[in-house]
Amino acid sequence: MHQDGLHVEGVALADVAARFGTPCYVYSRAALTAAYAAYRAALQAHGMADRSLICYAVKANSNLAILNVFARLGAGFDIVSGGELARVLAAGGAAEKVVFSGVGKSRAEMRAALEAGIHCFNVESASELGRLSEVAGSVGRRAPVSLRVNPDVDPKTHPYISTGLKNAKFGVAFDDAFELYRRAASLPHIAVKGIDCHIGSQLLDPAPAAEATDKVLALVDRLAAAGIRLEHIDLGGGMGIQYRADEPAPAASAYLAPMLEKLAARRERLMFEPGRSLVGNAGLLLTRVDVLKPGAEKHFAVVDAAMNDLMRPALYDAWHEIVRVMRSGIPRDGADDTTDAAMAYEIVGPICESGDFLGHDRHLALNEGDLLAVQSAGAYGMSMASNYNSRPRAAEVMIDGDAVHLIRRREEIPQLFALESMLP
Ligand SMILES: *Cc1c(COP(=O)(O)O)cnc(C)c1O
């Protein structure tokens, strides 16, 4: 740690807080770039970089500056709404590198994506396939499609982020996929392009994704034997990241190797849809301690960030490392977080919900006014933020070397109800 506390690249977080206030999301361009490069390097090591496309899953963090960093690196994008399509195009992303996922695409969203000329729709039901064919016919186009198949493998992650089990709402049941492909191939306004599979998120064990790959490849071969030849195989996202020291995540090369070994000898193009693993560890949430409130059994540190800013702890009971930005300002000389000056705190926000916490039982030496960094908050942080309790959403900043760029201004209070009106 520097004298002036924690840094991101060449910039002190204390300076960021002084300039832009808190709560504030802070991202590192170098970390975003390194995460993308690790994915590319894994593909390169298996000789597959030239026939693969990494489609960043926009919902993990959809700020235009982040999308633009990935667009400049050559990434494609995995979108789940018309709003995300508009963001990708506004950020300089190429429509022909966009795949459109999601169980409930509206006709208007389908039309917008067809008109933009996206690479592929990942179709998740028979009904959607029929509707897409109709919409494509009405605008005089053929819709490029993959079926998202549900391989029924257990990704061994949180139930809210498991998506590939038989009872999930996602994808086409594996046993129905063959027949649905035959139907797709017969529809005049559908062009069958590929297959897609995404079994869950925050996966730390590569085995479930490798097992899903086997199932997908067997189906691809069965389809080819029936005359339906697929151009690409999309293996989704889901690679986990390290949130806590005692739960290490595999490197991209190690996580992807079992999958890539199965794919090396094939001719299809490969696609991936990583979200969390490209942005999660490239961002943190800066927050200030507002009130220290000692209790009979628990001590509370009320901070100025809350569940509306970072919903993952409340929603998934997710664990984020929380550290002090400065070493100075501790009650006793030389004390640090491992000494007696530290106490076990509930780190909570000011929102009127008992579920509004950022961390339980954190051993920290705190004063009111201290700055904290909530780590690994780059994914599913700001993109899930809301205005609950009429709280303006946080500012977002990206660090690039010594430069600090404000990439989203802090919301202002009049904006909170600018779209509302009273009865006459
Ligand atoms: C959310 C999602 C992703 C990204 O998942 P991560 O765990 O963030 O990598 C990829 N594909 C689809 C279809 C998704 O819904």
Side-chain angles (χ1 to χ4, degrees), residues 98-245:
V98 167
V99 295
F100 192 168
S101 302
V103 281
K105 305 174 187 81
S106 72
R107 283 170 208 273
E109 287 175 324
M110 289 174 174
R111 215 171 291 123
L114 283 165
E115 275 159 9
I118 67 164
H119 180 70
C120 196
F121 290 85
N122 291 337
V123 168
E124 302 214 15
S125 64
S127 165
E128 180 189 340
L129 183 68
R131 185 187 294 187
L132 181 58
S133 177
E134 249 175 68
V135 172
S138 76
V139 296
R141 303 199 184 216
R142 287 182 86 192
V145 304
S146 284
L147 294 190
R148 175 174 176 182
V149 298
N150 183 338
D152 192 26
V153 299
D154 185 352
K156 304 187 188 88
T157 184
H158 191 284
Y160 285 13
I161 47 178
S162 285
T163 57
L165 281 165
K166 215 179 226 153
N167 295 327
K169 70 174 178 179
F170 299 100
V172 175
F174 200 78
D175 295 338
D176 301 341
F178 185 80
E179 274 314 308
L180 197 57
Y181 265 109
R182 293 185 20 146
R183 173 150 169 247
S186 73
L187 290 171
H189 299 293
I190 295 292
V192 174
K193 293 285 183 193
I195 190 164
D196 171 49
C197 170
H198 171 76
I199 59 171
S201 197
Q202 184 53 16
L203 312 184
L204 296 171
D205 175 359
E211 186 189 333
T213 304
D214 280 332
K215 290 197 166 179
V216 166
L217 293 179
L219 181 57
V220 172
D221 292 340
R222 195 174 153 218
L223 287 164
I228 299 173
R229 287 195 175 73
L230 303 184
E231 291 168 20
H232 75 247
I233 298 173
D234 179 342
L235 292 170
M239 184 169 85
I241 62 167
Q242 179 159 346
Y243 282 102
R244 48 193 303 171

Side-chain angles (χ1 to χ4, degrees), residues 296-330:
E297 285 175 8
K298 288 177 166 181
H299 302 297
F300 293 95
V302 185
V303 299
D304 65 3
M307 65 187 283
N308 75 297
D309 300 300
L310 180 62
M311 197 185 185
R312 299 187 67 258
L315 185 61
Y316 310 125
D317 204 18
W319 201 94
H320 286 265
E321 179 82 45
I322 301 174
V323 297
R324 276 185 308 121
V325 168
M326 308 300 291
R327 285 291 191 192
S328 56
I330 303 168

Side-chain angles (χ1 to χ4, degrees), residues 30 35 38 51 55 58 84 92 120 139 189 205 250 260 269 295 350 370 404:
R51 59 182 173 95
C55 292
V58 173
E84 287 190 351
C120 196
V139 296
H189 299 293
D205 175 359
L260 295 179
R269 280 192 88 205
D370 279 355
V404 185

Side-chain angles (χ1 to χ4, degrees), residues 5 9 11 17 35 70 91 202 219 221 252 279 296 310 343 371 397 419:
E9 300 190 35
V11 176
F70 289 128
Q202 184 53 16
L219 181 57
D221 292 340
V279 293
L310 180 62
M343 290 198 284
L371 267 181
V397 159
L419 302 179

